[in-house]
Amino acid sequence: MTITNPEGGLTTWLHRASFGLSLIGLATSLYLAWEYARGGAIACPVAGTGCEDVRSSQFSSILGVPVPWLGIAFYVSFAVLEIVRPEFVRHQRMLMYVGLTFAAIGILASGWFTYLEAFVIGAWCFWCLVSAACTVSLFVLAVLLAVIQPQAGDRKSTRLNSSHTVIS
């Protein structure tokens, strides 16, 4: 597979994908937060009443905070990290660890909520699954970025950041 990116190669592509996924997750969380606040029925395109069943469960909020608001905080944090990253060239390694930590926390939370849907609530919320897919994807991207993060003085970093990168 070949990824061509004149703006900076594979790492740039991964960061842009991370930002895009953050926006998709944010839109999903904003929609759910709006529906939670409005109190109307959540449009659940594939699971019938699954979204309503999840929202009406005792697990739809943590310490009084609706779960979609936690999603908003998570996805905004990720998006902001991707926005400010180019401005802090000297701190890329630290920002990579921050992104990896956010992603790990997100995947643990998402795993927990998916477990609750499957084994405790017994209902699937389409929007929650979209958010879970975004979170898993963000985690995979964060791990890939951690693996290929150029080290100071690393000669391989030029290959990773070239305008034409080949992945085998």
Side-chain angles (χ1 to χ4, degrees), residues 88-131:
F88 295 96
V89 175
R90 293 178 46 183
H91 303 287
Q92 291 301 300
R93 197 109 183 114
M94 181 205 54
L95 292 174
M96 182 266 307
Y97 285 124
V98 170
L100 196 55
T101 302
F102 283 171
I105 291 168
I107 203 160
L108 289 173
S110 188
W112 173 249
F113 291 126
T114 303
Y115 164 81
L116 290 173
E117 283 181 304
F119 300 108
V120 178
I121 302 168
W124 294 101
C125 171
F126 171 79
W127 303 108
C128 300
L129 295 175
V130 168
S131 180

Side-chain angles (χ1 to χ4, degrees), residues 137-159:
S137 299
L138 285 169
F139 179 76
V140 168
L141 291 175
V143 169
L144 286 171
L145 284 164
V147 168
I148 66 170
Q149 180 73 33
Q151 301 281 335
D154 185 1
R155 292 180 188 183
K156 293 180 184 177
S157 66
T158 359
R159 181 177 169 265

Side-chain angles (χ1 to χ4, degrees), residues 15-114:
H15 283 294
R16 287 179 180 171
S18 181
F19 181 72
L21 285 165
S22 298
L23 295 181
I24 293 168
L26 178 60
T28 302
S29 294
L30 285 168
Y31 169 70
L32 287 174
W34 179 69
E35 289 294 357
Y36 271 49
R38 190 173 76 92
I42 298 173
C44 203
V46 293
T49 63
C51 295
E52 280 303 314
D53 295 342
V54 171
R55 175 174 57 179
S56 63
S57 78
Q58 66 184 13
F59 305 104
S60 65
S61 65
I62 297 176
L63 300 173
V65 178
V67 171
W69 283 100
L70 300 175
I72 291 169
F74 173 72
Y75 292 117
V76 164
S77 297
F78 237 102
V80 167
L81 181 66
E82 290 301 335
I83 290 169
V84 302
R85 184 192 54 78
E87 301 302 319
F88 295 96
V89 175
R90 293 178 46 183
H91 303 287
Q92 291 301 300
R93 197 109 183 114
M94 181 205 54
L95 292 174
M96 182 266 307
Y97 285 124
V98 170
L100 196 55
T101 302
F102 283 171
I105 291 168
I107 203 160
L108 289 173
S110 188
W112 173 249
F113 291 126
T114 303

